[in-house]
Amino acid sequence: MRRILPERSIRALGALTVALTLAGLVTAAPAHAAAGPDLRVTATAGQGRWLPNDEIPLDVTITNVGDTKAEGVKGEVWMFSGPYFAVRPDAWGDLYNRGAGTSFAPGESRTYRLRGTVSTLAQGDPVFRVRVIGSAEADESDNDPEVTVGLVPAGTTDRVAGHLYGDADHNGLPSPGEDLAGVEIRLRSGGPGVIERVATTDGSGRFTFDAVPVDRYYSVNFDSFPEGWVNPGFGPLRVDGAGQHTALEIRAGRPLTDSLQASARLDKPSYAVGGIATGTVTVTNISDRRLTGLWAGCDPAGEGVHLEMPSGQWGDFDPAKQAGVLAPGQRVEFKVSGKVPHKSGYTGRAHLTCYIASGADTSGPLAQAAGKVPGKRVDERGQLWTDKNGNGRPDTGEGVPNTTVTLVTEDNKLVSLTRTDATGFATFPQVGVGVYRLRVAGQWRTVGDTTAYVIAPPYRLGDWYQQVVPG
Ligand SMILES: [Ca+2]
Ligand SMILES: [Ca+2]
Ligand SMILES: [Ca+2]
């Protein structure tokens, strides 16, 4: 990338040298205005404890001290030593060296905030020149200032330490008796070359990680969090050798289910697809403190079988507001309506499912209710099997033949009855979609969950398999 000075510039430089020599100022910085466009460039890297992948700011100020407009002005970075200082191409803006370049009128000055990154600390500090130049530059001597970016020295380590407490009295501070002992804390760096450290809190809830290698991103996870507390989900932490994480206070709270109860019911036992269902959701503060920031989040799983509820039915408990308040012992009731979704016609069920949360704390109770959506009928086929070889799954020859199987409602009313064939398979013909239970007659006893979800195609999951053991 060597450039040859145009003849006009050499002449200009020669005249300048003569002028300065006459004035006795040959070693001083020239404060002149050369004939033609003459950009003067300064560059300053931001100070900081820079780590690999940090976006390091680099301010480049460009002033046209010449008497002519500078055109086709572009910038680039020339490396001298250390790791490559990568400037994102789009950070250059109109200075991008594969674009058309920009222009500066005489006297015009602009500052560009570039951002660069390095990928390693192992090669010392990056040293480079930022070169900004246009066509017909009168004096190139002040167009490429040298910059050194100060990185955190390779091999730097840091201490990460703190205290973990369970805020039983809800005052947001560690109080006597709130130390959480024996909790495993896992620090994990970003990649590449992931560093992982594990520590356990001592009898007073304290933990220490010594000599942690610097990294801009350590996740903090608690593996063996004690029963009854909400995992606090702390971090991530930047560890850069400044010792800023040596007195962490990590608060764990009780789950909201300790303080709130919620329930839901629907106005009818069954609905048609597209019909409107109205639910009543009741939320009660069963604690002895005022609860704030409350809200209700419905259809949490997005499975398409939950009532489609227009927003604006929850007042202060609206998810967009999160401003619900309940005094100790206070109960609030919401009437909410929603449309029975299309998919409910295939599953036989419409659900109202809402969790109650407080701000970012989603450990509250679920309010759930379901209504029937009768309609489609399907042949419901499956197999009764017994695990002869003990491998936990049905194999050839493990079907239970010639046995009566019944399908009953959740309140135990007979819906359908069938008999298994020689391979243990049986079909309940033309059963209405919905949720049922399987029962087995005779000398067999069912194992595990006997719930049968009768779902119409295309959502049908496949045949049912019911394990039994000799009763
Ligand atoms: Ca210049
Ligand atoms: Ca406390
Ligand atoms: Ca088996």
Side-chain angles (χ1 to χ4, degrees):
M1 286 297 283
R2 240 179 97 211
R3 277 176 80 105
I4 297 185
L5 288 175
E7 196 188 333
R8 197 174 63 123
S9 301
I10 295 169
R11 270 192 272 110
L13 279 171
L16 170 65
T17 308
V18 171
L20 288 174
T21 306
L22 287 173
L25 289 170
V26 75
T27 56
H32 62 93
D38 181 7
L39 300 177
R40 180 172 297 164
V41 183
T42 61
T44 313
Q47 300 291 305
R49 302 192 60 82
W50 303 121
L51 297 174
N53 299 319
D54 278 344
E55 298 238 316
I56 303 166
L58 175 67
D59 285 338
V60 178
T61 299
I62 303 155
T63 307
N64 185 358
V65 298
D67 60 6
T68 312
K69 187 176 184 182
E71 313 231 44
V73 178
K74 302 178 187 181
E76 61 192 324
V77 164
W78 286 11
M79 294 306 301
F80 280 146
S81 64
Y84 186 67
F85 186 78
V87 178
R88 273 210 321 265
D90 62 348
W92 287 103
D94 57 10
L95 289 174
Y96 185 46
N97 68 357
R98 288 183 189 170
T102 186
S103 63
F104 286 78
E108 187 177 356
S109 182
R110 297 202 296 270
T111 297
Y112 290 73
R113 159 76 45 114
L114 308 182
R115 289 185 187 277
T117 56
V118 298
S119 60
T120 177
L121 297 178
Q123 298 167 25
D125 291 340
V127 181
F128 53 88
R129 284 186 184 275
V130 182
R131 178 178 173 86
V132 179
I133 200 154
S135 53
E137 171 71 24
D139 169 14
E140 297 193 12
S141 69
D142 56 0
N143 285 51
D144 56 352
E146 184 178 299
V147 180
T148 301
V149 174
L151 303 179
V152 170
T156 301
T157 62
D158 209 341
R159 185 165 186 262
V160 174
H163 174 235
L164 178 68
Y165 70 102
D167 193 17
D169 61 5
H170 303 280
N171 70 348
L173 299 166
S175 308
E178 291 185 342
D179 305 325
L180 289 179
V183 178
E184 213 168 75
I185 305 180
R186 192 176 295 269
L187 269 188
R188 195 178 155 89
S189 74
V194 171
I195 297 149
E196 191 168 76
R197 295 286 168 83
V198 180
T200 303
T201 57
D202 66 13
S204 54
R206 305 208 165 269
F207 61 90
T208 303
F209 296 93
D210 274 319
V212 178
V214 291
D215 194 274
R216 64 194 301 267
Y217 182 99
Y218 272 96
S219 63
V220 183
N221 290 295
F222 304 88
D223 283 346
S224 55
F225 218 76
E227 195 87 8
W229 295 97
V230 179
N231 194 320
F234 194 78
L237 297 178
R238 175 188 174 85
V239 176
D240 62 10
Q244 56 187 325
H245 304 305
T246 56
L248 299 171
E249 276 296 352
I250 303 178
R251 174 191 179 276
R254 302 289 301 186
L256 268 179
T257 45
D258 272 15
S259 308
L260 277 175
Q261 269 178 359
S263 62
R265 61 176 193 275
L266 290 171
D267 60 340
K268 290 185 223 160
S270 75
Y271 299 92
V273 170
I276 298 296
T278 299
T280 304
V281 176
T282 306
V283 184
T284 311
N285 180 355
I286 54 169
S287 78
D288 56 4
R289 66 201 173 92
R290 188 169 172 268
L291 300 175
T292 61
L294 300 175
W295 56 284
C298 301
D299 189 7
E303 288 165 351
V305 291
H306 292 83
L307 296 177
E308 295 165 359
M309 291 202 292
S311 57
Q313 302 191 74
W314 293 93
D316 285 346
F317 282 65
D318 193 280
K321 279 194 191 166
Q322 304 192 6
V325 177
L326 285 178
Q330 190 182 348
R331 165 192 298 243
V332 65
E333 228 178 55
F334 298 95
K335 285 258 187 261
V336 292
S337 292
K339 196 167 91 173
V340 175
H342 178 73
K343 193 174 169 184
S344 288
Y346 294 81
T347 63
R349 288 284 163 133
H351 298 265
L352 170 64
T353 304
C354 304
Y355 62 91
I356 312 301
S358 170
D361 182 353
T362 55
S363 63
L366 267 184
Q368 314 189 67
K372 291 178 184 161
V373 184
K376 294 191 187 301
R377 294 190 165 268
V378 290
D379 288 339
E380 188 61 24
R381 180 178 184 262
Q383 190 193 30
L384 205 63
W385 65 284
T386 191
D387 197 9
K388 289 180 185 166
N389 64 0
N391 69 348
R393 58 167 198 264
D395 298 292
T396 305
E398 292 187 340
V400 177
N402 307 320
T403 303
T404 300
V405 192
T406 59
L407 202 60
V408 300
T409 59
E410 286 174 297
D411 52 3
N412 223 19
K413 289 188 181 111
L414 181 67
V415 172
S416 185
L417 180 145
T418 188
R419 194 164 173 81
T420 59
D421 65 13
T423 59
F425 277 92
T427 299
F428 298 107
Q430 292 299 293
V431 182
V433 292
V435 183
Y436 303 93
R437 289 190 203 292
L438 286 163
R439 295 275 182 267
V440 181
Q443 73 277 38
W444 297 98
R445 189 163 54 81
T446 55
V447 175
D449 188 9
T450 58
T451 311
Y453 298 92
V454 176
I455 297 171
Y459 302 111
R460 187 168 189 268
L461 299 171
D463 294 343
W464 53 266
Y465 288 87
Q466 181 62 51
Q467 188 183 354
V468 290
V469 290

